[in-house]
Amino acid sequence: MDLVTVLLSIVVILFLFKAFKNHKQGHYKNVPPGPTPLPIIGNIHLMDIGKPHKTFLQLSKDYGTVFSIQIGMSKSIVLCGYETIKDALVNHGELFVERPYTPLFADTIKGHGIVFSTGENWKVMRRFTLSTLRDYGMGRKTIENRIIEESECLIQKIRSYEGKPFDNVTSIYAAVTNIIVSILLSKRFDYEDPTILRLMGLVNENVKLLSSPWVILYNSYPFLAKCLPGAHKTIFENIKEFQDFIRRTFTKQKKELDVNDQRNLIDAFLAKQQEGKAEFSKYFYNENLTALVADLFGAGMETTSTTLRWAILLMMKYPEIQQKVQNEIERVIGSAQPQMEHRKQMPYTDAVIHEILRFGDIAPLGVPHSTTEDITFRGYFIPKGAAIITLLHSALRDKDYFEKPDEFYPEHFLDSSGNFKKNEAFIPFAIGKRSCAGETLAKMEIFLFFTSLLQNFTFQPVPGVKLDLTPAMGSTNAPKPYKICAVPR
């Protein structure tokens, strides 16, 4: 926090007059309640910078399920609890469908792609993404077979350690990354390939840096931050390097393109460019392609990889649960290759996977939304364009829906007869019009990788090492680094 204090002191000295001049306390009537912001810094002094979702959940106890928070000079509205989030994103989905202006992403992504785009561009990119992912196998046997083949490669890699301790990060990330890369580029990388190691490194570093005080400073005072060194500079450099790789890739594919034999998502996008329709030229341009591929690569890698890392850690922490999963695998699958058709016969394994996603809480803040117009929501005025934080963490820990919200408890998803039961507050992929486009693919990957791994190995901690379930620092909730012993079965 010393760094934060220094940075805020600089801001106070250089921008005191400007901040007080533009301070608009009480400009709107009947805004959601919240802690009183200090001039210039807002409520940043109250925040757990590394894990702001914890602060938000605590504040909701004092201010309710709809409240305001001010970071620097920017006010955001936080929505807590499943019912409130559902009311906004489902019942009033059209009003909460936009993304707020965020300086860091505005200066790097510039409104392109799918995650941070807005308006008609977002609608066109989402329609294209969903249809193309389906065309290239999402939810179908073709992509299932690719995942099965990749799981075999991962198993062979893990088997090579012969039960000795090793760090599983690189292998799991590479295996998962190869699935989205096959859809984007029709390619598979070896786990030690320098290209995939570099690309994964860029994404992982940015995920960690996005929670740094420098990013908060940039988004609050971009005019100042642009002049200073810091984590935001590294993020810019990483994004540029990643985008340069994507541009080189689709430039090469453009020379080889056969519109009658489209091999992957990039080919499908390039084919739209060649059709020459006015609508296509308006949306299917190179900058959109670059951002879209980067969005899908990052999202396709991060969530599923982190979930699988949580899965192995939790199985080591709770060996009795691991044994129950393995017993169900033996009973239903035996020594055959796990397939998606097995899932409906495996209620306990399905419940464990759902609980891993709930407990792991990978994206506790979700991705910010904003309103398309001035609205009144649950009795409060919310101005057009306001940043809306849908606290997915609060839904996944909602005591009204989960008996033991702070514990790892697979019975959250089992009825009294041991059958799998759905829980509507289970929204790790968000809900509504902006929910994760790759949710179906992610669920398929997690089931197939997880069951294949537990079919072949029993995961144990390194002797004498105490397992820590506290998430690492970063913009997502990932496990801290740990080593495993994978004992062949």
Side-chain angles (χ1 to χ4, degrees):
M1 293 299 294
D2 290 341
L3 175 61
V4 177
T5 303
V6 171
L7 295 177
L8 292 176
S9 298
I10 295 173
V11 173
V12 171
I13 294 171
L14 297 179
F15 295 97
L16 186 62
F17 175 75
K18 181 179 179 65
F20 275 112
K21 182 179 179 181
N22 293 331
H23 199 51
K24 294 184 178 181
Q25 293 277 355
H27 182 70
Y28 297 111
K29 294 183 179 180
N30 204 34
V31 297
T36 302
L38 297 176
I40 304 170
I41 68 171
N43 302 123
I44 198 170
H45 62 296
L46 303 176
M47 300 293 296
D48 179 340
I49 299 299
K51 297 296 176 186
H53 60 277
K54 293 183 178 180
T55 303
F56 295 153
L57 192 61
Q58 188 62 40
L59 289 173
S60 71
K61 297 176 182 178
D62 297 325
Y63 298 104
T65 61
V66 183
F67 67 89
S68 299
I69 190 79
Q70 188 164 315
I71 308 300
M73 301 300 293
S74 302
K75 186 182 289 290
S76 298
I77 311 298
V78 182
L79 307 183
C80 291
Y82 171 69
E83 292 294 338
T84 302
I85 294 172
K86 177 186 175 183
D87 194 13
L89 301 188
V90 177
N91 300 342
H92 300 87
E94 288 290 350
L95 297 174
F96 286 86
V97 78
E98 289 291 12
R99 294 290 189 222
Y101 173 76
T102 307
L104 183 73
F105 295 123
D107 291 342
T108 53
I109 310 301
K110 300 178 181 178
H112 303 309
I114 186 173
V115 176
F116 297 103
S117 60
T118 59
E120 194 63 26
N121 187 70
W122 163 71
K123 293 178 182 178
V124 172
M125 288 299 99
R126 185 175 176 88
R127 282 197 301 268
F128 168 79
T129 299
L130 288 172
S131 65
T132 307
L133 287 177
R134 284 192 292 266
D135 289 344
Y136 290 100
M138 186 174 73
R140 299 181 184 175
K141 199 68 178 177
T142 50
I143 196 66
E144 179 178 347
N145 289 336
R146 283 189 213 168
I147 299 169
I148 289 171
E149 290 171 6
E150 193 62 46
S151 69
E152 283 297 315
C153 295
L154 179 59
I155 288 166
Q156 292 306 315
K157 179 64 177 178
I158 293 175
R159 203 180 295 279
S160 71
Y161 292 102
E162 300 178 336
K164 298 175 183 177
F166 70 99
D167 186 329
N168 66 357
V169 174
T170 301
S171 298
I172 287 180
Y173 270 93
V176 171
T177 300
N178 271 334
I179 303 303
I180 191 64
V181 166
S182 71
I183 296 172
L184 298 174
L185 310 176
S186 301
K187 185 177 178 62
R188 181 190 179 276
F189 290 100
D190 290 333
Y191 295 168
E192 289 79 20
D193 189 303
T195 299
I196 195 173
L197 292 176
R198 181 58 182 163
L199 294 176
M200 293 191 305
L202 294 173
V203 174
N204 284 329
E205 185 174 31
N206 277 4
V207 167
K208 293 175 183 177
L209 293 178
L210 282 172
S211 65
S212 73
W214 285 102
V215 171
I216 295 174
L217 177 69
Y218 192 98
N219 286 329
S220 298
Y221 307 98
F223 43 86
L224 169 65
K226 288 178 181 179
C227 304
L228 299 173
H232 57 291
K233 298 284 189 181
T234 303
I235 292 173
F236 272 73
E237 292 168 1
N238 289 348
I239 290 175
K240 182 181 183 303
E241 182 177 345
F242 198 97
Q243 290 178 339
D244 287 344
F245 167 79
I246 296 169
R247 290 190 193 98
R248 289 194 303 271
T249 300
F250 73 67
T251 298
K252 179 181 179 181
Q253 286 194 206
K254 198 166 189 175
K255 297 176 182 177
E256 306 168 348
L257 179 65
D258 180 352
V259 295
N260 297 314
D261 183 23
Q262 298 170 28
R263 301 159 295 177
N264 48 52
L265 182 139
I266 290 180
D267 275 5
F269 194 104
L270 294 173
K272 293 282 189 186
Q273 287 185 342
Q274 293 199 3
E275 289 187 29
K277 295 180 181 179
E279 177 195 3
F280 293 163
S281 62
K282 187 175 181 180
Y283 301 108
F284 290 87
Y285 49 88
N286 288 349
E287 291 83 358
N288 242 355
L289 175 55
T290 301
L292 177 61
V293 172
D295 286 344
L296 295 176
F297 185 102
M301 181 191 91
E302 178 63 28
T303 303
T304 304
S305 301
T306 302
T307 300
L308 289 172
R309 291 186 60 230
W310 274 118
I312 293 174
L313 179 60
L314 288 164
M315 292 305 95
M316 294 194 300
K317 183 74 173 179
Y318 302 103
E320 70 283 0
I321 294 177
Q322 179 174 204
Q323 184 62 61
K324 287 182 180 180
V325 173
Q326 289 173 328
N327 290 344
E328 189 171 66
I329 290 172
E330 289 174 3
R331 185 172 66 254
V332 176
I333 304 175
S335 59
Q337 176 64 55
Q339 298 182 35
M340 289 306 297
E341 63 186 30
H342 291 128
R343 184 170 65 174
K344 59 182 178 290
Q345 305 170 54
M346 303 173 69
Y348 189 78
T349 300
D350 207 4
V352 168
I353 289 173
H354 278 70
E355 184 67 355
I356 291 166
L357 280 160
R358 187 200 69 84
F359 184 85
D361 193 15
I362 310 299
L365 300 178
V367 182
H369 291 246
S370 70
T371 48
T372 57
E373 58 187 66
D374 291 350
I375 65 169
T376 298
F377 177 73
R378 297 207 158 193
Y380 297 113
F381 174 78
I382 299 178
K384 177 181 179 180
I388 311 293
I389 298 171
T390 53
L391 193 64
L392 301 185
H393 170 76
S394 66
L396 298 176
R397 295 290 195 274
D398 197 320
K399 294 179 180 179
D400 292 335
Y401 290 88
F402 299 103
E403 180 183 350
K404 301 178 180 180
D406 297 320
E407 297 181 24
F408 184 71
Y409 188 63
E411 286 74 11
H412 285 139
F413 299 95
L414 293 169
D415 64 18
S416 57
S417 300
N419 299 313
F420 179 81
K421 68 175 181 181
K422 294 183 178 180
N423 189 315
E424 61 179 317
F426 175 76
I427 54 170
F429 298 95
I431 50 175
K433 297 180 181 297
R434 284 276 191 169
S435 62
C436 176
E439 178 177 350
T440 301
L441 175 62
K443 288 180 175 179
M444 180 182 283
E445 289 182 76
I446 292 166
F447 177 80
L448 292 173
F449 277 121
F450 181 68
T451 53
S452 295
L453 289 171
L454 263 65
Q455 182 187 51
N456 285 272
F457 305 102
T458 295
F459 294 101
Q460 299 174 351
V462 176
V465 174
K466 185 177 180 180
L467 298 176
D468 184 1
L469 298 183
T470 306
M473 295 293 288
S475 58
T476 61
N477 272 340
K480 292 178 179 177
Y482 64 90
K483 289 189 175 183
I484 65 177
C485 296
V487 180
R489 300 184 69 228

